[in-house]
């Protein structure tokens, strides 16, 4: 059975390399801004990643949800924090977010399995 976490990360890395390799100044600046926006600041990294998770779920971007789930986990987020965050996202975004909530839960389980 394919590992969805590894597949997602491999695809993301491969395509980011191609995008950045095209040497487009605007794309490089957007990537740089995104990286720095989630760095430690007045808010800690975990909080920023959970905020990113809410926004991504409300905007219904599954790739972004996966990215922020993994980043939040690496920043120390626990399952209960992620579920509460996804609850807020569903409240704000409405029931149209529920399919993304399902996929987010599935991806979180894959992250848990990967780390054992």
């Amino acid at each position: 059975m394919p590992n969805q976490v590894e597949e997602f990360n491999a695809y993301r890395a491969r395509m980011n390399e191609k995008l950045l390799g095209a040497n487009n100044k605007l794309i490089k600046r957007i990537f740089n801004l995104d990286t720095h926006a989630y760095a430690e600041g007045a808010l800690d990294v975990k909080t920023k990643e959970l905020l990113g998770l809410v926004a991504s779920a409300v905007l219904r971007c599954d790739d972004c949800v996966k990215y922020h789930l993994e980043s939040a986990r690496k920043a120390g987020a626990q399952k209960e924090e992620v579920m509460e965050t996804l609850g807020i996202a569903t409240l704000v975004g409405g029931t149209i977010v529920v399919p993304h909530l399902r996929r987010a839960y599935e991806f979180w389980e894959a992250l848990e399995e990967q780390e054992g």
Side-chain angles (χ1 to χ4, degrees):
M1 179 173 177
N3 181 317
Q4 68 170 310
V5 174
E6 290 174 7
E7 285 181 3
F8 172 74
N9 287 327
Y11 173 77
R12 186 175 171 279
R14 184 176 69 250
M15 294 311 299
N16 283 353
E17 186 177 330
K18 287 183 178 189
L19 286 168
L20 293 171
N23 207 27
N24 179 284
K25 184 188 265 186
L26 179 58
I27 290 174
K28 284 186 172 187
R29 286 183 174 175
I30 290 169
F31 273 56
N32 186 291
L33 178 63
D34 182 70
T35 297
H36 286 87
Y38 288 93
E40 191 81 23
L43 296 174
D44 62 38
V45 172
K46 180 174 79 170
T47 300
K48 288 182 176 187
E49 292 299 342
L50 293 174
L51 289 168
L53 178 58
V54 169
S56 298
V58 170
L59 292 170
R60 302 187 306 272
C61 177
D62 285 333
D63 280 5
C64 301
V65 166
K66 289 176 181 177
Y67 175 81
H68 290 293
L69 281 171
E70 187 168 13
S71 296
R73 185 164 176 85
K74 288 178 181 175
Q78 301 299 307
K79 186 174 191 171
E80 296 78 18
E81 293 171 305
V82 168
M83 291 307 299
E84 193 167 318
T85 300
L86 290 170
I88 296 296
T90 306
L91 174 68
V92 172
T95 57
I96 197 165
V97 174
V98 170
H100 305 276
L101 176 64
R102 291 183 191 117
R103 288 188 286 276
Y105 192 90
E106 178 183 39
F107 195 76
W108 183 263
E109 287 183 325
L111 288 168
E112 289 177 326
E113 288 174 14
Q114 181 178 359
E115 293 180 13

